[in-house]
Each structure stands twice: as structure tokens, then as C-alpha cells.
Amino acid sequence: ERLMPRYVGGDGASIVSISAGGMQSAAIVAYHMKSSSDWEKRHLLKDITTRVFRWGSNRHGQCAVEGGKSNAVAYPTPMVDVYHPENATASQGANKAIVSSNFVEIALGKSHAVGLTHHGEVYSWGSTAAGRCGHGDRHSTSNGIAIKSALKMRTGLSLPKRIEALRNVKIAKISCGDAHTLALSGSGRVFSWGYNSSGQLGVGHTM
């Protein structure tokens, strides 16, 4: 425990976004951005380059860090590279930088995470309990990769996976509760999924 704010890091890095949720944290670093005003105008750019750093609880794979499946990540660590599903095979070739997805926003739940790319696509990973990852079932896998927590035997995604139900919708904003998620489209439509015990999904019932 710490009773007062303490410096974590960031000198010399263009950190443009931070997120905290549950027992996990995230920061987005943008490359080739000279100021925060450049970041605010990112929607005017065709492409940008970002890198996500993660730390905190990783019991359900919600940190999705490079080379690590530990239950906790103690310091900011780069998240795995994520590639557009249609171009995933190119990730091993010379076009890696071209096909990688660049996140501009990360929303964090208690044990899952959701990322929004520059082009308005939504990815999710971590615990799939109660459908909070939005992939249509409670035990999805990403490229066959699923993990089970050693402490809580719940299946989770260890790699970010695009939410196919939103593939034809350009999303502008995302937000997570403990076990549910909201997404706002560029045209003003709201989508919700996940746990609904208290009606938090706004669909008229609590099932």
C-alpha cells in the first residue's frame, strides 16, 4: 500500500493515455507525436503508431504482455503486438509494421480489458466469464490460446481478439465496468455486453 502518490515513470516518452480498473493498469505511448495537441487531432491522420504498456493483475491473461503468463506484472511491460485478423499471416513477414493494430484507448474491467484501435475496431481479452469479452460465449479462445487461472479456474483470453459482432461498426469510445462493457459508435449508437445482474446493460431486464 502507498498512502501518497509516487512517480512511476514516463520521462522522455509520449504517454498520451492512461487507464486503471480492478487491479490492473495501462498506458499508451504514441510515436511521432510532438505534443498532446497532436494526439487530440489523431482522427485527422490516416495511420498512427502506438504501443500499450500493461501492469497489475494477470490471473486471467488481462495484461496480455509479451512472453509472460504470470499472475501479476509488477512494472510497465509492453503488451503483445496485435494484428488485424485478415492480415494476421503477414505478421511474420516484412509487412509487420503495416498490418499491426494501433490502440488509441484501453478500458479496464475487474479481470478483462478492451482496446479501441485507430480505425474504430474493438478487441477484448482476459476473463470471459458472463460474456464480458463479447465473443458470443463464456469460454472463447484466440487462435486456440486460452488460459486458466491457477487460483480461480476460469477461462480467459491471453491474446486480444477482435469483437466480430462490431466488425462493421466504427466505434469511437469504450468504457468498462467490473464485468461489463459499453461501446459508443461514431453515429451515436450504444452497445453493451457482459454481466447484467443489476440491469447495467440497459436492455430492460437483469438476466
Side-chain angles (χ1 to χ4, degrees):
E1 294 183 357
R2 293 201 178 275
L3 303 181
M4 297 180 65
R6 179 177 176 179
Y7 174 74
V8 175
D11 284 344
S14 298
I15 298 176
V16 293
S17 179
I18 55 174
S19 305
M23 293 185 290
Q24 54 175 323
S25 303
I28 299 177
V29 173
Y31 298 97
H32 313 301
M33 294 274 181
K34 296 181 179 179
S35 66
S36 59
S37 61
D38 289 342
W39 177 250
E40 295 300 324
K41 298 175 183 177
R42 64 186 181 278
H43 62 283
L44 300 175
L45 303 175
K46 182 178 179 180
D47 291 298
I48 63 173
T49 302
T50 64
R51 192 68 188 268
V52 180
F53 288 79
R54 299 297 318 278
W55 62 100
S57 176
N58 194 41
R59 292 175 180 173
H60 300 270
Q62 62 263 47
C63 280
V65 294
E66 294 181 339
K69 293 185 179 180
S70 61
N71 280 343
V73 180
Y75 53 89
T77 303
M79 201 172 81
V80 295
D81 288 328
V82 177
Y83 302 99
H84 193 280
E86 279 75 21
N87 298 312
T89 55
S91 66
Q92 313 215 350
N95 295 325
K96 180 175 180 180
I98 298 176
V99 300
S100 60
S101 296
N102 292 287
F103 290 108
V104 297
E105 186 175 349
I106 300 291
L108 303 176
K110 184 177 181 179
S111 55
H112 76 296
V114 181
L116 176 65
T117 72
H118 181 56
H119 296 293
E121 293 188 312
V122 181
Y123 289 72
S124 65
W125 59 98
S127 173
T128 57
R132 68 192 74 185
C133 277
H135 299 298
D137 58 48
R138 295 180 175 84
H139 303 292
S140 302
T141 61
S142 177
N143 297 324
I145 301 176
I147 63 169
K148 287 189 176 181
S149 165
L151 301 179
K152 296 180 180 179
M153 296 303 289
R154 295 179 180 176
T155 303
L157 298 175
S158 61
L159 293 177
K161 180 181 179 181
R162 186 177 68 177
I163 298 179
E164 294 300 319
L166 296 174
R167 64 179 299 176
N168 295 319
V169 182
K170 188 171 184 178
I171 299 300
K173 187 73 176 176
I174 53 175
S175 181
C176 283
D178 276 359
H180 76 292
T181 306
L182 300 178
L184 175 66
S185 75
S187 61
R189 293 187 292 166
V190 178
F191 298 84
S192 65
W193 62 93
Y195 200 48
N196 194 39
S197 62
S198 300
Q200 57 264 52
L201 297 185
V203 293
H205 55 78
T206 59
M207 295 295 290

